[in-house]
Amino acid sequence: MALPPATKKLFLLDGMALVYRAHFAFIRAPILTSTGFNTSAIFGFANTLLDIIGKQQPTHLAVAFDTAAPTARHEEFADYKAHREAMPEELSAALPHVKRLIEAFNIAQLEFDGYEADDVIGTLVKRAERENFQSYMVTADKDFGQLVTENCFLFKPGRAGGEVEILGVPEVLARWNITAPAQVVDILALMGDASDNIPGVPGIGEKTAMKLIAEFGTVENLLARTDELKGKLRENLIQHRAAAELSKRLATINCDVPVNVALDDLQCRPYDAEKLQAFFVEFEFNSIGRRVFGDDFKAGRGSTLAPVTTTAAATSRASSKAKPAAPKAQEEFSLFGDAAPSTPPVPEAAPAVAAQLKTIADTPHNYQIAATPTERQRLVALLAQQPVFCFDTETTGLDPKQARLVGLSFSFAAHTGYYVPVPQEDQAARELLAEFRPVLENEQIEKVGHNLKFDLSVLKWQGVEVRGKLFDTMIAHSLVEPEQRHGMDYLSEVYLGYTPVPITKLIGEKKAEQISMAEVPLPQIAEYAAEDADITWQLQAVLQPLLQARGQERVFYEVEAPLLPVLVDMEFEGIRVDAAALAEFAGLLAREMAEHEAAVYELAGTRFNLNSPRQLGQILFDVLKIAEKPKKTRTGQYTTDEQTLTELAGTHPIVQRLLDFRAATKLKSTYADALPQAIWPATGRVHTTYQQVATSTGRLNSQNPNLQNIPIRTERGQEIRKAFVPRNADFTLLSADYSQIELRIIAALSQEPAMLEAFQSGRDIHAATAARVFGVTLEAVNAEQRRQAKMVNFGIIYGISAFGLAQRLGIPRGAAAEIIAQYFAQFPGIRNYLDATIAFAREHGYVETVTGRRRYLRDIRSANNNIRSAAERNAINAPIQGTAADMIKLAMIAIHRELIQRKLKTRMLLQVHDELVFDLCRAEEAEVRPLVAEKMKTAIPLAVPIDVEIGTGVNWLAAH
């Protein structure tokens, strides 16, 4: 619905609703300042506010907040909103700053003790109606639908940059199937509201409530005519009459609040520029600052390095041993024979806040184009003289397999850069790359880049193997500041005080993926591309000393950087998939799905949408009543997720049918149908992409497609692995899998004698654990005892509680607590290690792997027990899982190196957490098997023997 024109437009924002919404919108990837302060709520609220001011142009504006004082609703119903969780600590800390932001915008804030923000907004929109305003209630709260009129609208901000939703009278009536907006209250009174703990009437959900109000008009009329109803519905309404009446009073917005504010007091006023600038700088909202102030914005330049000093954070390039400054004559070299501008010095210490973000327009720089053979020859000669240079590729797309190379850019001194356009004719492009092959493949020259794996992959698909030591600024920053963003533009602003040319300057309003870089005029793309290389070069000079300051040199130089070419080669190799076998399996799954679906309908006694949680919940809990107290979501909808259904599997045969239907559906859509589509036609193989910075523990992440979650536990899931096959008859698949590696690591880290002895003697660790925990001989351990011991062994790694263990084992919590107590009594070294790890985390704010990889734990000292406990579980798990991740990465590097040096045909194809998969040349098996085993076992020496299970087979399942 479009906004109608108006001379007086009042926007009233439901402050708490919008702040909560913003905070949880970024809950999986929170927005943090350089000091780790969570600004998600502030950032999201600020963007909503700016969208309204800029796009809707209100004449009057205010933000209403709840207060801590009880309201009439609380006095009438003590449990009103009683089930709401406490406000998250990070949100509570951010809320005062949201109010500071509103103050800096000179926007009225409305708070009245004894009344909710809903009531304040309701009162003002009714007053505005009388004074000929058009009003907009900015919230996602459905309750406000009751206030909508011809001149009052419900304004729901879009999610994740989506379009706003504006609801007027027609939309509200259609949404609830009612004849007047006021009837929204009647529907809420019957169905209740879980978020506000409004009870409603048991057994009446949204659809039933809508149907009843459509027929009877109001709650009062319905209650007066219950004799017209039948069965359980009639009984519930008679029995819970008082609850229905109470719920209507609770859901009704009070429009008679003594708001001592005139509407004229809410007129939009100019913002306080000084306060707003300071606010955006304080919270490092550079993009928002430029949105408001343009080029006049003075941006924040948080070092993101606390407690490291700023001076250490910004050591000059000249002080970096690995990146010596190029001789002056080279810095001033011009491909065209002109005198190049001198390079401005890099400051030895960057201040926490820059006076103003610089851009290419106001920064002296020397970017040149090498387009002719002579210019390229001179550039190649110059690059050959460098001990290290930075390079970047410009391509027509983001898939290295099919992207065409548009250009190459280089830099080896701050504020200098060179751009080489690449012709689009295949032969000419190959000839140009041949000119640069000697320096790109020179092992004596170090290469710097940002997200280097992409550039290395692009060139590999073009036939060029980049060699030499590598420095990836994205990976370096992910180790220095794992919780921060790692994009080049962001790092440039934070560390260099420099805003790169945005892609929109080159491509206008088009999205980056909708345009080929080949369409951009040469001078523009040269400036853009050379700047990328220049900035990356400067970032390397800043990040290198930070790796040392944060103790991350070993992880970077021994693990992550050497892994880059390994991953490039694995992605390039890909793995062969039998598409015909998958198609046959997809047909089988389709038949199984139809069988399960028919069975569900028969057991339910009706047809419904199996993929609708609401309809499924109604069938399971309202119709079949398979649970006495079914769990509900925060919106009041029944919970029907996999965990819930698994817990209810024994209550009714329909549940297992539903689980089987879902399992078959997932296998078909995610694997049987999708994997053949991922086969690259040019190779006939599937090429995944590995992400090095996607997880906090250092584990690799496979994407497009994800080949790390191919099922193995179920018989049907195993059929997927059977479709992964060798490249030809001369090869077979080899699988090498670490055995119980995380348990071995915790044994080594804790130095627990009993666990060390069990591993060193080669006994079954779970049986040995069971013997100790249950006080029996090893020979007397039964299958159930071993199962329980195994669950404890693996659960300890994740900080399992008695409640969690009880759930997993299906035993009383007291029994689970006793098992855990016995475990720690028998293995006191484990308890001591866990306690010491948590104590270290509290003192230092992080934990480390054996190689020194750190995981920072912002919530380890939280006053909130749930939040702190989660941080403590991460503190326990991160060193163990992270060490396992580093171990297999080091093994991959060593195996890859040996395969190349020995000129073997065997190739490493996949890494699946603790497992490596190879295309094994049959003639090389006698050499490769011991090679793989030895490199995996010795990757990180530990005080326990490392066991590697190796198998071969005609497909992945057979090899496992």
Side-chain angles (χ1 to χ4, degrees):
M1 176 179 177
L3 287 171
T7 55
K8 292 194 294 184
K9 293 169 65 174
L10 170 65
F11 276 73
L12 295 170
L13 281 62
D14 184 352
M16 288 306 300
L18 295 174
V19 167
Y20 260 91
R21 191 170 184 260
H23 177 78
F24 284 101
F26 297 101
I27 197 67
R28 291 190 176 182
I31 298 173
L32 308 174
T33 66
S34 56
T35 59
F37 186 81
N38 190 326
T39 61
S40 299
I42 313 170
F43 181 85
F45 185 88
N47 272 312
T48 296
L49 194 58
L50 287 172
D51 282 343
I52 290 172
I53 293 172
K55 296 178 181 178
Q56 310 305 335
Q57 298 183 343
T59 59
H60 296 68
L61 182 62
V63 184
F65 286 98
D66 299 331
T67 72
T71 67
R73 296 181 181 88
H74 294 94
E75 293 171 0
E76 181 174 10
F77 183 52
D79 288 337
Y80 179 64
K81 295 189 176 181
H83 293 174
R84 284 193 175 181
E85 296 179 4
M87 182 184 295
E89 278 186 279
E90 292 181 325
L91 177 54
S92 180
L95 186 57
H97 301 296
V98 172
K99 295 183 176 181
R100 284 178 52 207
L101 173 69
I102 298 168
E103 180 184 347
F105 269 107
N106 273 331
I107 296 170
Q109 300 184 55
L110 308 174
E111 297 182 15
F112 296 91
D113 283 344
Y115 300 96
E116 296 183 54
D118 304 29
D119 303 321
V120 175
I121 291 173
T123 299
L124 288 174
V125 297
K126 290 301 181 185
R127 188 188 301 174
E129 182 117 16
R130 296 192 294 270
E131 298 184 26
N132 298 318
F133 277 77
Q134 283 176 348
S135 303
Y136 301 91
M137 303 172 291
V138 183
T139 181
D141 193 337
K142 59 184 178 294
D143 299 18
F144 281 92
Q146 65 188 274
L147 300 178
V148 169
T149 69
E150 291 184 0
N151 290 306
C152 179
F153 304 88
L154 181 54
F155 186 100
K156 300 173 71 172
R159 285 189 176 276
E163 292 296 318
V164 300
E165 185 179 3
I166 303 166
L167 306 180
V169 173
E171 289 79 15
V172 171
L173 299 185
R175 162 66 177 86
W176 297 101
N177 191 29
I178 52 181
T179 57
Q183 290 176 307
V184 169
V185 180
D186 295 282
I187 293 174
L188 295 174
L190 294 176
M191 63 181 279
D193 187 339
S195 63
D196 288 344
N197 202 33
I198 296 176
V201 177
I204 296 183
E206 181 180 311
K207 286 190 175 180
T208 304
M210 289 168 59
K211 181 180 178 182
L212 290 171
I213 296 306
E215 182 177 354
F216 293 96
T218 65
V219 166
E220 292 78 9
N221 195 33
L222 171 64
L223 296 175
R225 297 165 56 187
T226 52
D227 57 329
E228 299 177 27
L229 303 172
K230 296 179 181 180
K232 190 68 174 177
L233 179 60
R234 179 173 179 269
E235 292 176 18
N236 280 347
L237 282 166
I238 293 173
Q239 183 180 351
H240 298 284
R241 177 190 187 96
E245 294 171 336
L246 169 66
S247 296
K248 183 166 182 177
R249 291 194 296 274
L250 295 176
T252 300
I253 294 176
N254 179 4
C255 296
D256 195 24
V257 175
V259 178
N260 55 351
V261 175
L263 292 179
D264 285 345
D265 295 336
L266 308 183
Q267 275 191 307
C268 292
R269 295 170 289 172
Y271 54 71
D272 187 320
E274 185 176 349
K275 281 186 179 179
L276 208 53
Q277 282 250 22
F279 186 91
F280 292 152
V281 168
E282 178 182 350
F283 291 102
E284 301 167 17
F285 289 170
N286 296 340
S287 61
I288 296 181
R290 290 193 299 276
R291 180 177 173 184
V292 175
F293 295 101
D295 293 339
D296 293 330
F297 174 57
K298 298 177 180 179
R301 285 209 35 218
S303 68
T304 75
L305 301 171
V308 181
T309 63
T310 310
T311 301
T315 306
S316 68
R317 181 177 61 82
S319 68
S320 170
K321 293 181 180 179
K323 299 289 182 294
K328 184 176 177 63
Q330 292 180 356
E331 289 184 357
E332 296 182 352
F333 173 83
S334 168
L335 294 173
F336 309 106
D338 302 325
S342 60
T343 303
V346 178
E348 292 192 4
V353 177
Q356 182 172 328
L357 274 177
K358 301 183 292 292
T359 66
I360 195 170
D362 52 30
T363 303
H365 62 281
N366 177 27
Y367 297 162
Q368 302 178 49
I369 300 174
T372 68
T374 300
E375 292 163 355
R376 291 197 299 268
Q377 184 180 6
R378 298 183 70 184
L379 176 57
V380 168
L382 185 59
L383 292 171
Q385 298 174 35
Q386 310 305 316
V388 53
F389 62 73
C390 175
F391 83 97
D392 186 33
T393 61
E394 296 299 338
T395 66
T396 57
L398 300 179
D399 184 347
K401 298 188 298 297
Q402 58 183 332
R404 296 188 67 88
L405 195 61
V406 173
L408 296 168
S409 55
F410 299 90
S411 179
F412 46 83
H415 309 291
T416 66
Y418 304 90
Y419 179 69
V420 182
V422 176
Q424 295 305 287
E425 299 77 19
D426 290 343
Q427 182 59 34
R430 283 193 293 270
E431 291 173 357
L432 183 144
L433 282 176
E435 297 175 25
F436 287 87
R437 184 188 299 275
V439 290
L440 290 170
E441 295 189 346
N442 188 326
E443 295 185 1
Q444 305 306 312
I445 301 177
E446 182 176 356
K447 316 301 189 301
V448 175
H450 189 87
N451 190 16
L452 259 177
K453 185 161 68 66
F454 174 80
D455 302 299
L456 269 58
S457 295
V458 168
L459 291 174
K460 186 173 181 69
W461 282 95
Q462 301 288 332
V464 176
E465 297 265 2
V466 177
R467 297 190 178 96
K469 187 178 177 181
L470 302 172
F471 192 103
D472 189 325
T473 52
M474 181 181 74
I475 293 175
H477 188 257
S478 76
L479 296 175
V480 170
E481 289 289 350
E483 299 291 331
Q484 296 287 329
R485 289 171 283 165
H486 312 304
M488 190 194 71
D489 288 3
Y490 173 75
L491 300 187
S492 178
E493 292 180 355
V494 168
Y495 291 97
L496 307 177
Y498 186 92
T499 302
V501 173
I503 190 69
T504 51
K505 289 284 187 181
L506 303 183
I507 64 177
E509 296 303 316
K510 292 184 180 180
K511 292 182 179 179
E513 66 270 16
Q514 294 175 335
I515 189 169
S516 163
M517 292 303 291
E519 298 176 33
V520 182
L522 179 58
Q524 288 178 266
I525 192 174
E527 194 85 340
Y528 171 83
E531 183 187 43
D532 279 359
D534 174 21
I535 288 173
T536 303
W537 173 263
Q538 294 184 57
L539 285 172
Q540 175 271 336
V542 175
L543 290 170
Q544 189 178 50
L546 298 183
L547 289 169
Q548 181 179 8
R550 285 293 178 93
Q552 296 303 292
E553 286 186 303
R554 181 185 178 190
V555 183
F556 182 78
Y557 290 112
E558 294 183 18
V559 182
E560 297 299 349
L563 186 67
L564 278 166
V566 180
L567 297 179
V568 169
D569 284 357
M570 290 170 63
E571 293 175 7
F572 181 82
E573 285 295 329
I575 186 168
R576 185 179 163 213
V577 173
D578 187 342
L582 285 174
E584 182 179 346
F585 185 45
L588 174 62
L589 291 172
R591 292 190 291 273
E592 288 187 4
M593 289 165 57
E595 177 187 330
H596 295 313
E597 186 175 18
V600 168
Y601 292 152
E602 183 178 351
L603 291 165
T606 184
R607 295 180 66 87
F608 63 98
N609 183 357
L610 269 66
N611 296 314
S612 167
R614 184 176 297 279
Q615 292 183 32
L616 177 58
Q618 289 172 342
I619 292 292
L620 294 179
F621 305 116
D622 290 340
V623 177
L624 298 178
K625 302 186 184 303
I626 67 171
E628 290 185 10
K629 294 181 179 180
K631 292 187 292 185
K632 292 186 176 182
T633 65
R634 295 179 66 179
T635 62
Q637 184 173 294
Y638 290 120
T639 302
T640 59
D641 59 18
E642 185 173 357
Q643 180 180 343
T644 300
L645 293 184
T646 301
E647 293 170 0
L648 296 170
T651 61
H652 194 287
I654 196 174
V655 180
Q656 190 57 53
R657 284 289 191 174
L658 285 166
L659 288 169
D660 292 342
F661 173 80
R662 287 184 176 180
T665 301
K666 182 176 181 179
L667 282 174
K668 185 175 185 297
S669 62
T670 307
Y671 305 109
D673 291 341
L675 281 174
Q677 302 301 315
I679 296 174
W680 182 239
T683 64
R685 300 164 76 81
V686 171
H687 302 265
T688 188
T689 299
Y690 287 102
Q691 302 291 335
Q692 282 177 268
V693 299
T695 65
S696 55
T697 59
R699 275 190 167 191
L700 290 174
N701 181 272
S702 167
Q703 296 178 353
N704 301 321
N706 185 347
L707 298 183
Q708 290 182 325
N709 63 351
I710 304 297
I712 188 62
R713 298 186 185 279
T714 66
E715 183 179 348
R716 278 284 174 256
Q718 291 172 358
E719 292 292 323
I720 302 296
R721 289 203 174 197
K722 288 172 72 172
F724 289 79
V725 295
R727 64 184 61 203
N728 58 45
D730 294 330
F731 286 76
T732 189
L733 289 189
L734 181 147
S735 167
D737 197 353
Y738 280 118
S739 173
Q740 301 169 335
I741 189 62
E742 292 182 347
L743 283 179
R744 295 173 191 270
I745 289 171
I746 196 172
L749 294 179
S750 67
Q751 289 293 293
E752 164 54 49
M755 191 170 280
L756 288 173
E757 194 275 332
F759 278 122
Q760 288 164 352
S761 64
R763 292 200 297 272
D764 179 337
I765 186 63
H766 302 310
T769 300
R772 283 183 163 271
V773 170
F774 297 108
V776 298
T777 65
L778 188 65
E779 294 74 22
V781 172
N782 60 39
E784 179 59 21
Q785 289 172 328
R786 185 184 183 279
R787 183 180 79 90
Q788 293 184 359
K790 180 178 180 180
M791 190 64 70
V792 179
N793 272 333
F794 287 118
I796 290 299
I797 296 171
Y798 296 94
I800 197 169
S801 64
F803 176 76
L805 183 62
Q807 277 195 319
R808 296 187 191 186
L809 293 177
I811 61 177
R813 190 184 302 188
E818 177 60 27
I819 291 175
I820 292 176
Q822 274 297 109
Y823 181 92
F824 285 131
Q826 294 299 320
F827 300 103
I830 300 291
R831 174 80 276 172
N832 294 338
Y833 167 74
L834 300 183
D835 291 342
T837 299
I838 293 172
F840 180 92
R842 286 204 187 102
E843 180 181 355
H844 297 88
Y846 63 84
V847 288
E848 289 184 322
T849 66
V850 170
T851 63
R853 182 190 302 276
R854 293 182 182 178
R855 178 165 186 185
Y856 292 90
L857 302 157
R858 294 179 291 113
D859 300 319
I860 195 67
R861 303 183 191 94
S862 173
N864 184 299
N865 182 64
N866 290 336
I867 294 174
R868 185 180 65 256
S869 295
E872 290 174 353
R873 288 193 293 272
N874 287 333
I876 293 168
N877 173 249
I880 301 165
Q881 193 176 96
T883 296
D886 289 340
M887 181 179 289
I888 199 164
K889 285 179 176 179
L890 287 166
M892 292 165 68
I893 294 165
I895 294 168
H896 180 263
R897 183 185 303 120
E898 287 293 320
L899 292 177
I900 292 175
Q901 289 180 351
R902 299 186 191 188
K903 295 182 171 56
L904 298 174
K905 296 178 181 178
T906 296
R907 291 292 179 264
M908 186 158 44
L909 307 183
L910 300 179
Q911 189 255 45
V912 185
H913 304 313
D914 300 332
E915 177 187 7
L916 297 177
V917 179
F918 298 81
D919 239 343
L920 171 67
C921 179
R922 293 178 183 274
E924 298 171 354
E925 183 170 357
E927 183 175 4
V928 171
R929 266 183 177 263
L931 163 64
V932 170
E934 192 263 335
K935 295 303 180 186
M936 290 181 71
K937 289 179 179 180
T938 60
I940 295 180
L942 295 175
V944 290
I946 303 300
D947 187 25
V948 178
E949 297 174 348
I950 296 180
T952 59
V954 294
N955 57 57
W956 189 3
L957 179 64
H960 196 270

